[in-house]
Amino acid sequence: MNYRGVIHRYHKYLPVKTESIITLHEGNTPLISAERLRKAIGLTARLYLKFEGMNPTGSFKDRGMTYAVSKAHEDSAKAIICASTGNTSASASAYSAKANIRCVVLIPEGKIAYGKLSQAMVHGSTVIQIKGNFDEALKMVIQLGQHFPIHIVNSVNPYRLHGQKTAAFEICETLGDAPDFHSLPVGNAGNISAYWMGYKEWRQEGHTSKTPCMLGFQAAKAAPLVLGKPIKSPETIASAIRIGNPASWTSAIRAKEESNGTIDKITDAEIVKAYKMVSTLEGIFCEPASAISIAGIIKFNKKNPFKKNQILVCTLTGHGLKDPDVAIKNSPKPFTCKNKLDDLVKILKL
Ligand code: AN7
């Protein structure tokens, strides 16, 4: 039968009435072997990229949103709400359109990538720009949820993380076992918690022989988990992870500790370098926040070199098309040519 998304595929692990399922056929994303990137980094270990930009709205958020919105639909919810650095609002907007549920999104004014803003707007959500950052917007959403009958679909909603754990299931199924290391960006810290839950569950079910070391990375000026305290005004080129007080703080630290992993910080310059490497060497266009998973591997490998035959997976959480500004600012400028063959030949130095 036609593939119908993560709830149908893993229904036993994501219970909800079949007739309530709202899906855009998310999940089943490619796990891509990255040979040129592996060589450029100088890794002897095997490197795979889980490209979550291939989800219906272009990010991993769809895995959790299908479940959160299906549950809201099962509960006959009239409205859902989220605060977002962009991708959650894009995903909530699309799934709520399909479910015919009102959607309200709060975004930090002027601080989300253009592609994501267009997604929130096009699906008919009520889009509210907050004169403040993501952390402040999330605080308002949580307060509102306490006083009004509106379902919060941020990752404080446990269904989100349960949906997102399916990425770990898929990786284990594709590889035939869990990888040795799993690297990913950490913003509000939901995804690292979800992956760790998924890897543990798959191990308990007897499908794998081990669980990976979780390697989480935050932007240097938005790294509360590395610093050990919230940050008031986080800053980074990777707008998706410009977050100073992650909601899933405790579970992210638990994932790091239980998996014997690490959560480290990466500069914007290192993020941009990794972003350009993956696009020029692998033909994969991911957003800046996603590239931090590769920048993190590069940094980690310098201190603790990965061993031959170890398997590393990096999650590329979102599609590069969401943030064309960063791509254009950080790539060689296009040439301008007269409509004359001579001019073209001169430019190409043929
Ligand atoms: C591309 O959309 O928080 O650590 O509001 O969009 O689970 O928060 C996005 C986060 C990584 C971090 N990569 O994941 C939002 C939002 C991308 C993201 C993260 C986000 P979490």
Side-chain angles (χ1 to χ4, degrees):
M1 199 200 282
N2 183 20
Y3 176 79
R4 288 179 302 153
V6 296
I7 302 181
H8 284 286
R9 181 167 178 182
Y10 298 110
H11 206 167
K12 182 180 155 197
Y13 305 95
L14 302 170
V16 60
K17 282 194 201 122
T18 302
E19 61 271 25
S20 300
I21 296 173
I22 304 294
T23 179
L24 293 170
H25 296 204
E26 60 294 314
N28 200 21
T29 55
L31 187 68
I32 303 167
S33 168
E35 267 305 291
R36 292 193 70 202
L37 184 60
R38 181 184 72 75
K39 288 196 185 120
I41 299 172
L43 290 175
T44 49
R46 285 157 63 193
L47 178 63
Y48 292 92
L49 308 175
K50 180 71 168 163
F51 189 26
E52 290 288 279
M54 296 300 284
N55 276 298
T57 78
S59 88
F60 71 98
K61 303 285 182 183
D62 294 343
R63 294 178 182 276
M65 205 54 74
T66 182
Y67 197 33
V69 172
S70 297
K71 281 291 188 182
H73 185 51
E74 190 180 54
D75 291 349
S76 307
K78 295 276 177 291
I80 62 170
I81 188 168
C82 65
S84 182
T85 58
N87 279 326
T88 301
S89 65
S91 187
S93 298
Y95 283 82
S96 62
K98 176 102 180 173
N100 191 21
I101 296 176
R102 182 177 182 204
C103 180
V104 180
V105 307
L106 270 65
I107 53 176
E109 187 181 31
K111 294 286 189 182
I112 81 166
Y114 229 54
K116 303 176 189 182
L117 178 63
S118 72
Q119 288 180 288
M121 291 167 67
V122 82
H123 294 298
S125 293
T126 305
V127 181
I128 300 172
Q129 308 206 65
I130 299 292
K131 296 192 181 300
N133 62 26
F134 167 82
D135 302 291
E136 290 158 337
L138 181 59
K139 207 168 149 192
M140 287 169 73
V141 163
I142 290 170
Q143 284 168 348
L144 198 79
Q146 285 164 351
H147 299 292
F148 297 92
I150 190 161
H151 283 231
I152 299 174
V153 295
N154 280 104
S155 54
V156 292
N157 176 332
Y159 299 127
R160 280 274 316 278
L161 301 195
H162 280 282
Q164 284 171 213
K165 74 187 175 186
T166 58
F169 297 171
E170 288 178 15
I171 289 166
C172 295
E173 290 194 323
T174 307
L175 294 174
D177 203 345
D180 297 291
F181 294 88
H182 189 116
S183 172
L184 78 174
V186 176
N188 213 21
N191 212 27
I192 191 171
S193 310
Y195 266 99
W196 182 236
M197 179 162 67
Y199 280 125
K200 281 199 299 188
E201 197 167 336
W202 226 230
R203 172 82 190 86
Q204 274 154 15
E205 291 284 294
H207 297 309
T208 49
S209 68
K210 60 189 175 191
T211 52
C213 244
M214 299 301 298
L215 310 178
F217 297 98
Q218 301 202 287
K221 291 184 180 157
L225 295 176
V226 182
L227 212 67
K229 61 171 200 266
I231 292 171
K232 248 204 149 76
S233 304
E235 268 312 327
T236 167
I237 191 172
S239 60
I241 53 172
R242 195 184 275 140
I243 296 175
N245 191 12
S248 298
W249 186 301
T250 321
S251 51
I253 297 294
R254 206 181 313 128
K256 175 188 93 163
E257 286 172 357
E258 287 179 0
S259 75
N260 207 10
T262 187
I263 297 181
D264 200 358
K265 58 181 182 183
I266 298 293
T267 65
D268 277 8
E270 291 170 306
I271 292 174
V272 170
K273 189 175 165 214
Y275 171 80
K276 290 165 91 166
M277 283 174 88
V278 69
S279 57
T280 56
L281 296 173
E282 294 296 338
I284 297 176
F285 190 18
C286 67
E287 61 175 290
S290 308
I292 204 171
S293 62
I294 291 162
I297 287 283
I298 295 172
K299 183 174 177 188
F300 190 90
N301 187 55
K302 281 182 190 152
K303 278 194 263 169
N304 317 277
F306 297 106
K307 296 191 185 73
K308 207 176 167 196
N309 295 327
Q310 284 185 325
I311 296 183
L312 324 184
V313 174
C314 293
T315 301
L316 300 180
T317 44
H319 204 290
L321 286 170
K322 285 177 173 272
D323 200 345
D325 287 354
V326 170
I328 290 169
K329 277 189 197 124
N330 290 283
S331 305
K333 299 282 162 286
F335 295 97
T336 305
C337 178
K338 292 184 196 125
N339 57 348
K340 293 276 185 302
L341 194 59
D342 282 359
D343 205 27
L344 180 60
V345 170
K346 219 184 277 166
I347 289 168
L348 296 179
K349 298 196 173 78
L350 288 174

